[in-house]
Amino acid sequence: MNLRSRSVGSRMRLRPLFPSRMMPILALLLAGACQGVDRETPVPLAAGADSAPATAAAAWTRVANGDPDIDALFVVTRDRGIREGLDSLGALAARDPDADGRGHELAHALGRFAAATRGDISILGECTPVFQSGCYHGALEGLFMRGATVDRATVGRICAPGAADRPGYERLECWHGLGHGLMVRFGGDHTQALPLCDALQTPRGRRECQDGVYMERALRAIDASSTATDAPAAQGHASHGGGAHGEHGGHASASTPKSGRRLSNRELRRLCAEEAAPHQPSCWAYQPIALLVVHRDKPLAVLRACDAAPAAAVRDCYQGFGKQYLGAMDGEPAPMIAACTRGNRPYATDCLLGGVEYFTDIEWKIEPGIAFCAQVPAASKDRCYTMIGERLALANPVRGEAEAACQRIEAPYVQACVAGTRRRDG
């Protein structure tokens, strides 16, 4: 979600988190990069008995697909590092709409490639939040794909607190990616991934990791996951064009869909039906990914389905819908705002908060989120700007910077924003 609940937009300009591609992870280490990565002491993953190490060369070829411009990104990443590879991707995206649309996917692939090449988690310290933090998630995924011993102690250290001057969003990205990565490690079996998320020490860490698990699960269910390989995604269904980062592994069941098979509409509607009560909010936060497919992007039908969620998860479903629907609308706020205000009125603001997530998750720059809150109905502005304050605190680790940034917003809501900056937690 929920904070980090990423979005998956439909025609998918891959930025909004649902861009049909997604994220995963694993690794081990303490303080420094992704909130806990030590840049000076790279720690390689220990290969597990069942591991099938990913070959960097193969990963490159599967993603590059013979496109010389994309090939060049991998050459830069190999020769000059992931930071320059991401800069080159930004330059390519600025002149090529197709590359821009695949931005998250490609940042993901570059992170995977860099991690597979180097083989240690310190690569996270070189990632940046561009293209919806695809580098963080891909790097962790790449490490997972190399195979590793996975236990509670190891997983608990992956996103350990780092230096105080590191922005808090990095740790959130790490936790969220951890959930995706555990799904990769366990072949799409969320029942094996969730206990490791549940063992994390902080409530936010547990929730972010659970969110990553359920996002990956929903993407696999509609046959649009990130995982298993670096193969470029196939086209999605008519409305949610674009695929995932890769092919899908997994087990043949309604809860862990088999590779290459989109679940039936009945199965998609019931993705959260048998989940334990503590996991229902995370599951429903990503259920809109499946519901938008079932209902062909018809917003009121999706929101009616959200109304039928367990009471503790209705707000999560509304917020998740707001984020995913913005992606389906290519980031255009007007249709999303209209849809949110036509649903169940008590949850309209929850729905709109999905817009703050959507816009701030793109590159962790706050201006797009502020511009969005300026457009929402007056009744929702207070909570909208409070969430802006929360995101400002995550982006600005030095106390006082976030509060000062709140002065940019509409005067009547400055205090709501400042109050949000004080909600710093682990």
Side-chain angles (χ1 to χ4, degrees):
M1 331 98 335
N2 134 298
L3 137 74
R4 194 27 263 156
S5 349
R6 326 315 141 135
S7 139
V8 145
S10 140
R11 302 141 181 112
M12 229 40 261
R13 301 205 54 188
L14 239 119
R15 292 206 151 148
L17 219 209
F18 156 75
S20 326
R21 17 289 197 173
M22 260 45 270
M23 38 207 131
I25 103 183
L26 165 57
L28 132 71
L29 195 30
L30 309 176
C34 175
Q35 290 61 263
V37 178
D38 185 340
R39 303 179 187 225
E40 303 303 321
T41 312
V43 175
L45 292 176
D50 59 345
S51 67
T55 1
W60 177 355
T61 13
R62 283 196 296 266
V63 176
N65 217 25
D67 184 323
D69 287 333
I70 294 176
D71 284 345
L73 300 177
F74 289 87
V75 172
V76 171
T77 298
R78 181 195 65 194
D79 295 345
R80 301 205 293 271
I82 187 63
R83 184 70 60 90
E84 291 203 37
L86 293 171
D87 289 344
S88 296
L89 172 58
L92 175 62
R95 65 178 187 270
D96 181 347
D98 180 63
D100 185 44
R102 296 180 63 198
H104 179 81
E105 174 191 3
L106 291 170
H108 215 292
L110 292 175
R112 263 197 312 268
F113 173 70
T117 301
R118 189 183 311 176
D120 71 78
I121 198 174
S122 69
I123 192 72
L124 292 169
E126 300 166 29
C127 288
T128 70
V130 297
F131 298 106
Q132 261 190 316
S133 300
C135 176
Y136 291 107
H137 309 137
L140 288 162
E141 176 182 71
L143 290 165
F144 247 122
M145 290 166 66
R146 294 172 61 90
T149 299
V150 181
D151 56 31
R152 293 187 178 196
T154 298
V155 169
R157 290 194 295 266
I158 292 172
C159 304
D165 63 346
R166 301 296 297 173
Y169 67 74
E170 290 186 352
R171 197 172 189 200
L172 267 57
E173 297 291 354
C174 189
W175 280 324
H176 185 85
L178 178 59
H180 281 279
L182 289 171
M183 286 288 280
V184 172
R185 181 65 176 80
F186 295 119
D189 186 347
H190 73 295
T191 65
Q192 292 190 66
L194 286 170
L196 291 167
C197 291
D198 295 345
L200 295 175
Q201 294 300 304
T202 66
R204 196 161 207 174
R206 290 191 290 273
R207 176 58 193 263
E208 287 297 325
C209 183
Q210 292 164 6
D211 283 355
V213 167
Y214 282 111
M215 183 176 183
E216 181 69 28
R217 181 171 175 248
L219 289 167
R220 286 169 178 254
I222 64 169
D223 195 23
S225 165
S226 54
T227 1
T229 77
D230 283 298
Q235 277 305 101
H237 69 91
S239 169
H240 289 76
H245 289 315
E247 300 165 349
H248 324 305
H251 310 287
S253 74
S255 60
T256 53
K258 184 178 179 180
S259 174
R261 179 176 82 88
R262 203 209 87 178
L263 298 189
S264 69
N265 284 354
R266 180 180 180 281
E267 290 171 316
L268 290 176
R269 288 189 184 96
R270 292 184 53 77
L271 277 180
C272 300
E274 298 179 4
E275 298 307 295
H279 297 146
Q280 287 286 341
S282 277
C283 188
W284 280 93
Y286 290 95
Q287 180 65 345
I289 291 175
L291 294 174
L292 283 165
V293 173
V294 170
H295 297 292
R296 299 179 179 274
D297 288 347
K298 293 177 182 174
L300 295 187
V302 175
L303 292 177
R304 282 195 295 271
C306 285
D307 291 334
V314 176
R315 292 184 185 280
D316 298 88
C317 189
Y318 266 76
Q319 187 167 328
F321 164 78
K323 183 172 46 268
Q324 303 303 335
Y325 193 60
L326 256 177
M329 296 295 104
D330 290 334
E332 290 296 325
M336 176 265 201
I337 292 172
C340 288
T341 55
R342 291 172 61 201
N344 197 338
R345 186 169 298 179
Y347 303 111
T349 298
D350 297 288
C351 182
L352 292 166
L353 292 181
V356 180
E357 287 191 51
Y358 175 96
F359 285 112
T360 56
D361 282 359
I362 292 174
E363 291 188 358
W364 279 95
K365 293 179 180 175
I366 209 66
E367 289 78 9
I370 292 175
F372 171 76
C373 288
Q375 299 177 60
V376 306
S380 297
K381 283 181 181 286
D382 197 82
R383 285 181 63 197
C384 197
Y385 284 118
T386 297
M387 190 170 182
I388 287 291
E390 294 174 17
R391 310 295 271 195
L392 279 166
L394 290 168
N396 298 277
V398 179
R399 287 193 178 275
E401 289 183 353
E403 291 86 341
C406 285
Q407 305 305 315
R408 306 180 213 162
I409 71 169
E410 299 174 80
Y413 305 101
V414 168
Q415 288 310 307
C417 178
V418 171
T421 67
R422 294 170 184 157
R423 298 183 181 180
R424 300 170 186 263
D425 60 70

